[in-house]
Amino acid sequence: MKASLAAAPRAALLSLAALALLGGCSATPWQRGGVDAEAACSALMAPVPASAIGLPSGGAVIESATLLPGNALTLTNPLPFIPPPPEAVVQPATPPYCKVVGAIQPVDPKAPSIRFQVNLPSRWNGRSLQLGGGGFNGVLVTATGLPPSARIDQPSPLARGFVTVGTDSGHQDLRVEPLQAFALNDEALENFAHAAYKKVRDLSVELMKRRYGQGPERMYFMGSSEGGREGLAMAQRYPQDFDGIFARAPVINWVGLHTADVRLGLAQRGEGWLSPADVMLVHKAVLSACDALDWRVDGIVGNPQLCGAQFDPASLLCREGKTPACLNAAQVETLRTLHAPYEFSFPLANGVRSYPGWAWGGEGAGGTGPVGGYVSWQTGTAPAAHPVSSTSSRGWLYGSGAIQYFVLRDGTADLSNYKPEDHAQRVGEISRLMDATDPDLSAFRAHGGKLVISEHMADYAQSPYAGIAYYRSVVEKMGQDPVDEFMRLYTTPGADHVGTGAPVGVDMLDTLVTWVESGRAPLDLVQVSLDPVPPFPVLQSRPMCRWPATLRYRGHGEPQRASSYQCVRSAPR
């Protein structure tokens, strides 16, 4: 089989894959047509009045409305030193669709506009999917690709007949100023926090009404990282607006995360900095202590909760002078700091008072290079400094800028002695804007909404325990049985922030649609890693365990198959 595939022309393989994917969704019972698609697309050029958007705005200008033909699936060519999320290794096949690009005008003339792209397929299934952004946004989400964690052997949402929607969140990354500088404008800050996604959602409904003669029957939202936070913000702030939401590795406790990032950066300005070689030392020690806790030695810490109770970083402490085989006392303290909660002396939004420490496992992802694990997110290739540079960790880049521009509103502020309690009022204001920690989802539940959160346990961009803490807060507020009716939390050991390091491919859009529209609640799922070349054979599969279950090898069976593992129900951390 592999030999015949290798001999086949690459273009032919891509065309066959594209036809297979599009063919797989051609029999949906929701399709509508019967109109001149080109004329209907051109008619969308009329401006959208502010009255069609549920929050204050200056209305929307449509810059272009273009009918595009269908395209075959293509393989992307990411930079070799920046591994992409697994779902980003392809640009999926698209059907004929109307691409609408424009901008929602601000109320404050000094605020930037909210750019958007809405893709309306010629054959619609009656549903829409809005995709979240990442980082500090500022880049238009085109919404023509695959959603977070999607299987690359499945059709894109657009190919399935969904209207797809994306935005830049209300500011444009100009590349000549810090990522966070937009937050100096109050309207741009509120747009980034939550308002932009609501405004673009409402605008998309208006465009669907114009194009198809009616609004969507169901609306979905999917996002990862910052986009995951956006999805949770929609469920909490606008519970009537979406029927199904998937939030992967969401930056839930936003203020807590960036405060913890700054704490760790400051802890590494002296002897506490962990070099890439030191990181690999930690990585090997953690694997030695914890790899077998899931009954299989495979380079993945399958039970990070148990590892946290078992591994002591003091085991790496140098007994005499510092050598490559041990850590000094300050470095051991850095490890304790990263894996310990950050405690606030005052409450943040919704009564939250801490940010959880990180899990163990995946420290050395990416090796000694600047990608993945500790090096990418928390230690960098040099100690934290001002101004940030290419040697800085992304935690320091994001965290220091967030505190400077969102809290202090001074991009030159020295954070050496920064203490949140000295700025408690402003920190509280930003927390109420940015943190998606409201545990009362009763209105979303009453609407019939379904919510799935997925945490990657080897994530060093944000602590996976933040999502677990939020889930527990919802259970405490609403009760376990009501929560089971509309909410799920899944964890994936070994996977980093973007989904590399372990199988993460799962058709979560289908999972959401099935739950929302057929009432079939998901249980444990199956995640896959796929060969990134058509026809995308499965390389590995693992169970996707519903919290609080943990993954464990059965002790027999092919290690690459999900059937060789089980989700073990044990006491949660």
Side-chain angles (χ1 to χ4, degrees), residues 375-399:
V375 176
S376 176
W377 290 105
Q378 296 296 340
T379 60
T381 55
H386 283 308
V388 297
S389 69
S390 59
T391 65
S392 300
S393 71
R394 281 187 275 183
W396 179 251
L397 168 66
Y398 291 170

Side-chain angles (χ1 to χ4, degrees), residues 13 21 79-80 132 137 140-141 144 161 187 221 231 235 240 282 292 345 405 426 472 502 525 534:
L13 283 175
L21 294 183
L79 296 174
N137 288 338
L140 179 60
V141 175
T144 59
E187 186 172 345
F221 191 106
Q240 308 299 317
V282 175
S345 63
Y405 285 96
R426 179 62 179 172
R472 286 174 169 168
L525 303 173

